[in-house]
Amino acid sequence: MLALGLLLNFAGIGLFCWLIFTLAIYALPFFVGLYVFMLALHGGAGILAAPLVGIAAGGITLAVGQMAFAMTRSVSVRAIIAALFAIPATLAGYQVVFAMSQIGVPSLAWREIFACLGAIFIGGTAWTRLTIFTEIRPLDSGRAVANDPQPVLTAAAHQK
């Protein structure tokens, strides 16, 4: 029974860590949704309307962030957008790892070290998940890029 308990604890911690790393990219939309929910609730929207407004705000934040990241060609703008998503994930990662380390680490110094390392890894994961599958298209002024909606007009097209 002890071995089964240890195995299940190990599997549970592994599942929890997988969830943290998978959901790290959604920290900014969650925080925006929670903030808008609290504003709506304190503004008198009611118990039924406030969650809907918060969920809509979080979804819009995620959609606008991903669309802005996908549509821009500037590396600096992409870095700013990725940082906007990675910084809340880093803060959330710090808090989660610090809370989890209180279970088994008695020293405050080691808890802080583990929390800082967890924040770096979780923030880096959020940054990587946002930037890994995007490629920057080259800017060619002389010819059209394959994915552009309107091709560059040539001299022959101007004469017609």
Side-chain angles (χ1 to χ4, degrees):
M1 279 310 236
L2 183 64
L4 181 63
L6 289 173
L7 183 63
L8 289 176
N9 280 333
F10 185 72
I13 291 172
L15 177 67
F16 190 69
C17 290
W18 174 77
L19 279 173
I20 291 170
F21 282 103
T22 302
L23 299 176
I25 196 69
Y26 303 113
L28 176 68
F30 176 76
F31 287 148
V32 169
L34 184 64
Y35 181 71
V36 170
F37 164 75
M38 294 302 289
L39 282 177
L41 190 63
H42 290 292
I47 293 182
L48 295 177
L52 295 176
V53 171
I55 290 170
I60 289 170
T61 302
L62 179 64
V64 167
Q66 286 180 343
M67 282 183 9
F69 191 83
M71 295 181 81
T72 187
R73 292 183 183 189
S74 172
V75 176
S76 60
V77 173
R78 283 185 177 207
I80 290 170
I81 294 170
L84 285 174
F85 276 82
I87 289 171
T90 303
L91 295 174
Y94 174 84
Q95 293 297 327
V96 167
V97 174
F98 187 77
M100 291 298 292
S101 67
Q102 288 178 350
I103 294 172
V105 181
S107 170
L108 183 61
W110 280 107
R111 279 189 265 173
E112 287 290 334
I113 290 170
F114 286 141
C116 290
L117 286 174
I120 290 168
F121 287 135
I122 292 172
T125 300
W127 178 282
T128 304
R129 286 189 55 145
L130 190 62
T131 60
I132 193 82
F133 294 114
T134 59
E135 60 184 48
I136 299 172
R137 297 184 301 177
L139 293 174
D140 290 336
S141 60
R143 57 191 166 98
V145 179
N147 293 333
D148 279 347
Q150 296 178 349
V152 176
L153 296 176
T154 61
H158 286 289
Q159 294 174 357
K160 291 184 182 181

